[in-house]
């Protein structure tokens, strides 16, 4: 009887071992299959592109071409207006500005001052003030310009497109010149000459590019409107003269940003 019991226990022990081995093998296979399935479906998360830092103060130089439109009018008995006449020339100067960056949005202020040689002239012809022989000309010249602007840009890495607007200031000469005759009824025509600081507004857009982390190159367009200025001729007519001026400019600049 004891032999039968021992044999039964041996058989049961072997059966249990087989069951345990089978369970272990099944679990291992299931784990391997799950791992393989996870590996097949796992995709590495993309690395976010670094945001270029535009925050800081910068200094630079700029130069470019300018062109625009002048218009002159007079309020003599029959208002005389020759229409528009074009002006053109160049500007060059310095820039100072500062940016603050919030994520990709860049806010800034900028100031520039420029030498300028932008001029034009036009013959008025005859008559003027009722004198058939009175030949005259008008001319205009911009000696310098300056701007105080706010800027709004959006960073695309090393590229920063922007729009800007603010105040425009210029030193302008306006002249009305009489060539012949120089006198009427014994009174000399003094013509009209005015040198003034004209204040108006500017709007524009451009794009900055970081050549290095601290060196920035720029291309931009500006529209400046300087409104009009007026004054009276000397005796004997005292006619009011009005000069209107606006300009366009395309400039390139090179700047250094301080960390």
């Amino acid at each position: 009887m004891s032999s039968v019991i021992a044999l039964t226990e041996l058989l049961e022990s072997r059966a249990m071992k087989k069951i345990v081995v089978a369970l272990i093998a099944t679990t291992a296979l299931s784990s391997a299959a799950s791992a393989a399935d996870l590996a097949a479906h796992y995709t590495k998360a993309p690395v976010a592109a670094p945001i270029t830092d535009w925050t800081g103060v910068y200094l630079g130089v700029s130069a470019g071409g300018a062109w625009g439109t002048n218009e002159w009018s007079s309020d003599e008995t029959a208002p005389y207006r020759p229409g528009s006449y074009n002006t053109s020339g160049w500007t060059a100067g310095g820039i100072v500005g500062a940016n603050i960056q919030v994520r990709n949005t860049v806010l800034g202020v900028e100031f520039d001052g420029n030498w300028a040689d932008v001029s034009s002239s036009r013959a008025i012809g005859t008559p003027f003030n009722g004198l058939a022989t009175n030949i005259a000309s008008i001319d205009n010249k911009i000696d310098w310009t300056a701007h105080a602007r706010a800027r709004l840009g959006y960073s695309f890495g090393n590229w920063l497109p922007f729009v800007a607007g603010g105040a425009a200031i210029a030193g302008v000469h306006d002249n009305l010149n009489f060539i012949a005759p120089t006198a009427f009824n014994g009174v000399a025509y003094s013509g009209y000459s005015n040198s003034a600081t004209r204040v108006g507004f500017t709007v524009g857009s451009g794009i900055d590019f970081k050549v290095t982390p601290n060196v920035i190159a720029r291309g931009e367009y500006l529209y400046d409107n300087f409104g009009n200025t007026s004054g009276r001729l000397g005796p004997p007519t005292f006619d009011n003269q009005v000069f209107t001026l606006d300009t366009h400019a395309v400039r390139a600049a090179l700047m250094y940003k301080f960390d």
Side-chain angles (χ1 to χ4, degrees), residues 58 96-100 107-111 149-151:
Y58 57 90
V96 59
N99 291 324
I100 296 177
L107 303 173
V109 292
E110 186 175 285
F111 306 91
R149 305 188 296 168
R151 297 200 316 149

XYZ file of all heavy atoms in Angstrom, residues 58 96-100 107-111 149-151:
110
model
N 21.191 96.448 -29.202
C 22.043 96.326 -30.383
C 22.394 97.699 -30.947
O 21.664 98.676 -30.763
C 21.365 95.462 -31.461
C 20.006 95.948 -31.901
C 19.854 96.841 -32.961
C 18.851 95.490 -31.266
C 18.609 97.270 -33.361
C 17.606 95.910 -31.662
C 17.481 96.805 -32.711
O 16.240 97.237 -33.107
N 20.385 102.366 -33.016
C 20.456 101.783 -31.680
C 19.057 101.295 -31.325
O 18.059 101.966 -31.611
C 20.972 102.798 -30.625
C 20.077 104.034 -30.553
C 21.063 102.136 -29.257
N 18.972 100.092 -30.735
C 17.666 99.543 -30.409
C 17.744 98.495 -29.322
O 18.829 98.131 -28.855
N 16.577 98.031 -28.909
C 16.494 96.997 -27.876
C 15.275 96.124 -28.132
O 14.227 96.624 -28.556
C 16.409 97.622 -26.487
N 15.419 94.815 -27.899
C 14.337 93.849 -28.078
C 14.033 93.120 -26.785
O 14.923 92.895 -25.957
C 14.715 92.789 -29.128
C 14.803 93.358 -30.530
O 14.026 94.235 -30.897
N 15.748 92.858 -31.299
N 12.771 92.726 -26.636
C 12.340 91.795 -25.595
C 11.570 90.683 -26.289
O 10.656 90.958 -27.077
C 11.451 92.478 -24.544
C 12.235 93.562 -23.800
C 10.897 91.451 -23.550
C 11.405 94.333 -22.802
N 9.284 92.097 -29.318
C 8.882 93.495 -29.234
C 10.131 94.347 -29.071
O 11.070 93.954 -28.362
C 7.946 93.718 -28.043
C 6.675 92.865 -28.008
C 5.944 93.076 -26.690
C 5.771 93.203 -29.175
N 10.142 95.522 -29.714
C 11.333 96.342 -29.619
C 11.079 97.812 -29.872
O 10.004 98.214 -30.330
N 12.067 98.616 -29.524
C 12.095 100.044 -29.858
C 13.423 100.317 -30.550
O 14.425 99.663 -30.271
C 11.936 100.940 -28.612
C 10.548 100.798 -28.031
C 13.000 100.620 -27.568
N 13.405 101.301 -31.452
C 14.612 101.573 -32.233
C 14.682 103.049 -32.599
O 13.660 103.686 -32.876
C 14.604 100.717 -33.503
C 15.875 100.826 -34.317
C 15.860 99.862 -35.496
O 16.052 98.652 -35.278
O 15.640 100.322 -36.623
N 15.907 103.568 -32.601
C 16.157 104.960 -32.976
C 17.280 104.978 -34.017
O 18.237 104.198 -33.924
C 16.576 105.783 -31.760
C 15.596 105.700 -30.616
C 15.748 104.734 -29.637
C 14.535 106.573 -30.537
C 14.857 104.641 -28.579
C 13.623 106.495 -29.491
C 13.782 105.523 -28.508
N 11.001 104.437 -33.588
C 10.003 103.455 -34.011
C 9.782 102.369 -32.963
O 10.697 102.014 -32.220
C 10.447 102.775 -35.315
C 10.756 103.727 -36.451
C 10.987 102.978 -37.741
N 12.153 102.116 -37.702
C 12.434 101.193 -38.626
N 11.612 101.018 -39.649
N 13.519 100.455 -38.523
N 8.571 101.838 -32.950
C 8.275 100.606 -32.221
C 8.264 99.478 -33.241
O 7.835 99.667 -34.394
C 6.920 100.707 -31.534
N 8.747 98.282 -32.817
C 8.823 97.149 -33.747
C 8.086 95.942 -33.177
O 8.066 95.709 -31.985
C 10.276 96.746 -34.012
C 11.123 97.798 -34.690
C 12.351 97.188 -35.342
N 13.012 96.217 -34.499
C 13.674 95.159 -34.969
N 13.733 94.928 -36.275
N 14.286 94.318 -34.138
